[in-house]
Amino acid sequence: MEKLVYIALFAPLVSSLFAGLFAMSKREKFVGVIASLLLVSSFVASAMLAYHVATVGAVHVKLMDWINVANLSIPFGFVVDKISVTMMVVVTLVSSIVHIYSIGYMDHDKSFNRFFSYLSAFVFSMLVLVMSDNFAGLFIGWEGVGVCSWLLIGFWYHKPDRSREENPSISPSWAANEAFIMNRIADLGMLVGIFILFWVTGSLQYDIVFAALPSIAASVNGSYILVAAAIALFIGAMGKSAQFPLHTWLTDAMEGPTPVSALIHAATMVTAGVFLVIRANPLYSMEAVEGVSFFIAALGTFVAFFAASMALVNRDLKRIIAFSTLSQLGYMFAAAGLGAYWIALFHLAAHAFFKALLFLGGGNVMHAMHDELDIFKMGGLRKKMKWTHIYMFVSSLSLAGIPFFAGFFSKDAIIETAFNEGTIVLWAILILTAGMTAFYSFRQVFLTFWSDERYDVHHTHPHDMYGYVLIAMSPLAVLAVIAGFFQKTFQAFVTSVGNLPFSWLPNYEMSEHTHHLVIVLTLIVLTVAVSGIAIAWFKYGKKLKRSEKTENGFIYKLLANQYYIPQLYEAVITKPYAELSQVMWQKVDMKVVDSTVDFIARVIYKSGDKSRAMQTGNLSHYLNWMGLGAVLLLVATAIFSIIYNING
């Protein structure tokens, strides 16, 4: 089994290095093929490990000693348990499909080989993150994912910079820097949390840290320490999973190639924050930090509604899908905060399938429409792009939570959890958000594939992607339909006690009262979701009927401008910081630092220039200077002797 662990982990790294060898050469399709095959081998190894974990038990391997300083000992070790292997299978499956898809999507890009090198490194970093057996290894993967996301979001760095005022679509370089910097801010909080845990436990190994939590909670001020650690770790999760107020980078990241968007939003990066909370469930399940857990649930619920509201009016195909990711991440955090960790992980997996399919379908539309993203400039594409329409229709049904698609089972379980916990306000908001999700999902489908044709039919000839690309997408379509039927099997798998400590998730069962009302609760959610689809159909399904009055209204503008939060950040943080930097450069750096350095240089230069006059080549002149120097030394010695005697 140890060999399978290494194959699953290092095959993406080999893929990245292999593609990197050809980074400076002409694009070669075989680079994409080999890279994809290596990712498929990682998926196969992960699937075999999942079977082993289910039948035999978790696997814990130690590659080597990593850090040994004083009392700190951190091995380079990996654990494949029920939590990590679930993530491994999801990450490698989606990544394999994205790699195959990218062969067609990036076919004409001059940096084809470099793209595959970055993409595979992204997957490797995510696997290090989920497979590590300690917080230090998790943090290494965490930062690796951050660096790779910066490289991939800014992949088309040559595109010109455009300010927000000039165009709501910003440049790839700006978006990459925004994502990187915003996540560095959050990662500082995560580091503080890791330091706190090491300070109170003396270790960063999961099993040692989690085993020590009860004794810490029982100690003096122990509850405060655990609360501080839980808050600090969650700050890191907020950045990676783009929770408010660190959310603006997620939609701006759409400036990267569409396969990158699919990978970031479906299986890597943004799911890392949710994984951290799930992985650290022994901490967040402590009674001492129940307030923090409820805050996580409340914030997740708010973000679910907040993001869905902005998707209602957005016109950008990819950004609508990005807002839906942000909303669904809110659902996951709501479940995790309420203690339903296995439900959060189940929704993470189900969401990965239909969201990757939705993004890749969106990439097909972009490819056919020559990178056009405004859904109001599309329409009628179902006649030209039959398979893409089917894929996006299926994934939208799953996203909307329509029976009996994957999203119905996972999202409905989260809403039931909110009801079961007695958090009626959260439950009501999540139901309302489900209706909004159904509306914006099918608003996008109807405006893109149905209604009237609004593109230039003389210059644009839309068509489906290559056959092998559509075939590669088909497993996601199948899983978007059937994954929900494995809910009970998944629950039994991740909640059954394992052979290693903390290698499983605590079970969460609905109360008897909730079980009695489950049909009523489901019908409420279903009614709201179907109503959202019906409204979208009547408004956009047959013929586009736009109300200029509505689009010029206050609410519309508020949502279209993302509640003016990006503008607020620009005015309160970005511009003042830029102005301060300008002042520091001109007033301090140029006039103080540079002037001081230049002054010292001029003094030395001029003193050297004057001293050159002593070098005459005349021996008598040299003897005179030596005599003068000797006199000066004697005088200085005499003065110091007098001062020394007086003080003595």
Side-chain angles (χ1 to χ4, degrees), residues 249-376:
W249 70 265
L250 188 63
T251 51
D252 291 340
M254 295 303 97
E255 292 296 316
T258 300
V260 175
S261 303
L263 201 54
I264 288 177
H265 286 248
T268 59
M269 188 107 173
V270 297
T271 61
V274 180
F275 171 78
L276 174 62
V277 175
I278 294 173
R279 179 89 267 183
N281 73 87
L283 171 62
Y284 289 101
S285 299
M286 300 291 293
E287 185 178 352
V289 298
E290 61 181 7
V292 177
S293 295
F294 182 76
F295 172 78
I296 293 173
L299 180 64
T301 302
F302 165 74
V303 170
F305 175 84
F306 173 71
S309 67
M310 292 184 285
L312 293 175
V313 301
N314 204 282
R315 300 166 59 118
D316 187 299
L317 177 66
K318 286 177 67 177
R319 286 176 184 261
I320 293 170
I321 305 173
F323 278 124
S324 78
T325 299
L326 184 54
S327 183
Q328 297 308 304
L329 288 168
Y331 273 96
M332 296 175 206
F333 277 115
L338 294 173
Y341 298 103
W342 78 262
I343 295 177
L345 186 59
F346 182 63
H347 189 52
L348 187 157
H351 172 264
F353 303 139
F354 61 75
K355 183 51 59 68
L357 182 62
L358 201 56
F359 261 115
L360 297 182
N364 290 355
V365 173
M366 283 183 63
H367 187 270
M369 297 297 295
H370 306 300
D371 293 334
E372 177 60 63
L373 286 168
D374 190 345
I375 56 177
F376 280 80

Side-chain angles (χ1 to χ4, degrees), residues 435-500:
M436 295 162 64
T437 302
F439 173 80
Y440 70 67
S441 298
F442 280 87
R443 169 181 176 265
Q444 173 183 267
V445 170
F446 294 145
L447 283 172
T448 304
F449 295 99
W450 294 65
S451 94
D452 51 324
E453 296 176 352
R454 297 177 300 281
Y455 57 89
D456 187 347
V457 295
H458 299 292
H459 296 89
T460 304
H461 305 286
H463 55 83
D464 257 323
M465 281 283 278
Y466 307 117
Y468 69 88
V469 171
L470 296 173
I471 293 172
M473 293 169 64
S474 59
L476 293 175
V478 173
L479 288 168
V481 176
I482 69 170
F485 293 102
F486 297 93
Q487 182 180 21
K488 293 297 181 182
T489 304
F490 181 85
Q491 179 185 2
F493 171 67
V494 297
T495 60
S496 58
V497 178
N499 60 320
L500 293 177

Side-chain angles (χ1 to χ4, degrees), residues 13 26 31-32 70 93 134 177 216 252 282 303 325 327 356 395 403 449 461 487 498 529 537 561 565 608 647:
L13 177 61
K26 294 181 180 179
V31 173
L93 172 60
N134 61 81
N177 290 335
I216 295 171
D252 291 340
V303 170
T325 299
S327 183
S395 54
F449 295 99
H461 305 286
Q487 182 180 21
W537 168 256
N561 287 282
I565 292 174
N647 291 334

